[in-house]
Amino acid sequence: MSRRHILAAAPSLALMGCSRAPTASPVIDLPSLKSTAPFPVGVCAMTGHLDDPAWVDLVSTHFSQLTPEWEMKMERLVRDDGTLDFTASDRLADFCADQRMRLFGHTLIWYAQEHPWFQALPEDRFATEHDRYVRTTVERYRGRAVGWDVVNEPVAEDGNGYRECLWSRRFGGVDGYIRRAFDVAREADGEAVLFLNDYNLENNPTKGASYLRLVERLLAAGTPITGLGTQSHLDITIPEGQITAFMRELAGFGLPIHVSELDASLESGRRVDVRSDATRESQQRDRVVELAEAFMALPPAQRWAFTVWGARDSDSWMRLREDGGGPNDRPLLFDDRGRPKPVAADVAQIFAGG
C-alpha cells in the first residue's frame, strides 16, 4: 500500500484502533509538551479526530500547532471539474482558531498527487490553472496559516537526483516547478513561512546531501524559500550521530527549520526480525532523543516547530502500512489510549532544558 493510498483510506480507518490490546504503559506524570517547549509543538489531524473527545483533550493539552494530514492535499481539495472544495480544511482551520492553535498548511504541490483534472489540461491552460490553484488555496488561509509546505518530496527515493513528475515535465524540471510554486505562494501570502519539505533526509545521507544541494541552488536563483522541512520519519537503526550531523548541515542556511512529521517505527519490514521489544524501544528512544536534542541545539530563531505525525499510536498512518509498520506498530509519543510513553517524557525533559 503506497503512502498515497494510505492517506486516501485514512479518514475512515484512523479511529479503528489496532488488532490487539495496547501494550501497558508505565504511569508517567507528563507536563504539557507545549508548555515545556520554547517553540510550537505540532501534531497532524484529520476531521474524524475532531469527533473524538479523548483526542481533543490530548491535543489541546499538549500541542500548539496543527497540520492537516489529508484535508489540504490536492486530491482532497480539487474536484473532478477543477473546482475546489474547502469544507474539510475549513473545519480543521476553525478547530485551530477555537483551540488557539497555529495552523500549518500541507501541502500545495506533491509529486504523488498528479490530479487527473490537471493531467488532462491542454498545454495552454496548465500554467494558469496551476497558479490559480496555488493562489486560491494560499489566499483562503492567509492570516490563518502561519506557513506552508509549498513543495513536498522533490528528491528521488534513493537520493540520487530528483523526481520526475507532472509538474517537472510541464515546468522544465525540478527547479522550474519548485520556483513557480514558491513564487505564486509568496504573491498570495507575503507573511507565511514557505517550506521545502522532504523525508529520509536523516536516514539516508545521500538523500540529505541532494536536498541540501537543491536548497542551495534554489536560494541562489532567488526562490523565496523561507523555511526548511525535514519530515523525520526516523529509521531507528541508523548510526548514532547521523541525525545530529544532518541537522547541523541544515542549520547552515540560517533558515527556520520544521521537524514536520516525526514518527519512529518499531518495525523493520524484514521477514525475520530477531530484535526484542525492549531493544527496539531502546533504539526508538535513542533516535527520538537525538533528534530532539539536535533541534534544541539550533539557534532559537531557527527552531520553527517540532511536529509529530499523529497524537496516539492508533492515529498513525504506519498502522496501515504493508511494507513495515502494521497494526501493532507503536511509532508515536502516546499509546493507543493517549497515555504518555517513556519517550514522551524524554522529549519533555529535553524541551524544558533538562
Side-chain angles (χ1 to χ4, degrees):
M1 183 179 290
S2 68
R3 297 182 73 212
R4 174 177 176 179
H5 291 103
I6 286 169
L7 288 166
S12 62
L13 296 175
L15 303 179
M16 291 175 61
C18 65
S19 60
R20 70 180 183 187
T23 301
S25 296
V27 176
I28 296 173
D29 184 16
L30 186 73
S32 165
L33 291 176
K34 68 181 182 182
S35 69
T36 65
F39 42 77
V41 181
V43 68
C44 70
M46 291 181 285
T47 51
H49 291 120
L50 308 186
D51 299 321
D52 180 352
W55 181 91
V56 172
D57 182 63
L58 180 67
V59 165
S60 63
T61 298
H62 289 285
F63 300 99
S64 52
Q65 180 171 299
L66 186 143
T67 302
E69 186 173 358
W70 176 249
E71 282 84 348
M72 280 188 177
K73 290 185 167 76
M74 181 180 288
E75 286 188 343
R76 178 60 184 85
L77 293 182
V78 180
R79 298 187 180 99
D80 291 343
D81 64 356
T83 59
L84 303 180
D85 177 8
F86 293 106
T87 305
S89 53
D90 281 351
R91 188 177 175 205
L92 288 169
D94 291 343
F95 175 81
C96 287
D98 291 342
Q99 297 292 330
R100 298 184 179 180
M101 300 176 72
R102 302 202 318 179
L103 172 68
F104 182 69
H106 172 80
T107 179
L108 295 171
I109 298 297
W110 184 20
Y111 82 93
Q113 296 196 337
E114 301 179 350
H115 195 284
W117 185 79
F118 276 102
Q119 293 181 43
L121 285 174
E123 190 71 30
D124 60 354
R125 285 185 59 196
F126 189 87
T128 298
E129 295 297 343
H130 166 279
D131 294 357
R132 178 185 66 85
Y133 164 72
V134 173
R135 184 179 299 108
T136 302
T137 304
V138 174
E139 286 181 345
R140 186 175 188 87
Y141 298 103
R142 185 170 54 198
R144 290 189 285 176
V146 293
W148 285 91
D149 284 332
V150 178
V151 173
N152 196 44
E153 302 175 1
V155 184
E157 182 72 21
D158 62 2
N160 291 307
Y162 305 98
R163 297 185 190 273
E164 181 181 331
C165 58
L166 174 66
W167 322 107
S168 67
R169 291 191 295 271
R170 293 296 184 97
F171 292 127
V174 63
D175 294 52
Y177 90 86
I178 293 175
R179 288 193 63 183
R180 189 175 193 107
F182 272 90
D183 285 342
V184 177
R186 175 51 72 227
E187 292 172 2
D189 188 339
E191 301 297 326
V193 183
L194 305 182
F195 288 83
L196 183 69
N197 192 48
D198 217 317
Y199 72 103
N200 275 353
L201 304 180
E202 305 95 339
N203 298 334
N204 180 348
T206 299
K207 188 166 186 177
S210 292
Y211 175 87
L212 296 170
R213 287 194 298 271
L214 178 62
V215 170
E216 183 175 27
R217 191 167 72 234
L218 290 166
L219 290 174
T223 309
I225 297 171
T226 51
L228 304 176
T230 178
Q231 293 181 19
S232 299
H233 297 292
L234 297 180
D235 177 351
I236 63 176
T237 67
I238 62 175
E240 179 181 357
Q242 194 163 297
I243 294 169
T244 303
F246 176 75
M247 195 66 74
R248 286 174 179 162
E249 290 191 86
L250 195 62
F253 291 104
L255 294 174
I257 293 172
H258 186 194
V259 170
S260 58
E261 303 184 19
L262 169 63
D263 49 32
S265 176
L266 293 175
E267 307 297 334
S268 66
R270 298 193 295 264
R271 293 183 64 183
V272 178
D273 189 341
V274 299
R275 293 174 301 163
S276 67
D277 284 349
T279 295
R280 287 183 287 175
E281 289 169 1
S282 177
Q283 290 175 322
Q284 182 190 61
R285 289 179 70 177
D286 286 347
R287 296 290 71 75
V288 173
V289 163
E290 183 180 347
L291 178 69
E293 289 178 340
F295 190 77
M296 282 293 291
L298 295 171
Q302 289 187 266
R303 299 187 309 223
W304 194 78
F306 192 96
T307 293
V308 293
W309 209 239
R312 305 163 299 196
D313 286 334
S314 55
D315 302 316
S316 175
W317 70 282
M318 287 190 168
R319 287 285 179 91
L320 307 178
R321 291 176 59 190
E322 294 178 356
D323 59 338
N328 301 317
D329 203 359
R330 305 186 302 279
L332 299 174
L333 303 184
F334 295 87
D335 70 13
D336 289 3
R337 298 178 184 177
R339 297 172 301 185
K341 300 190 294 189
V343 66
D346 295 336
V347 169
Q349 184 177 28
I350 294 164
F351 287 174

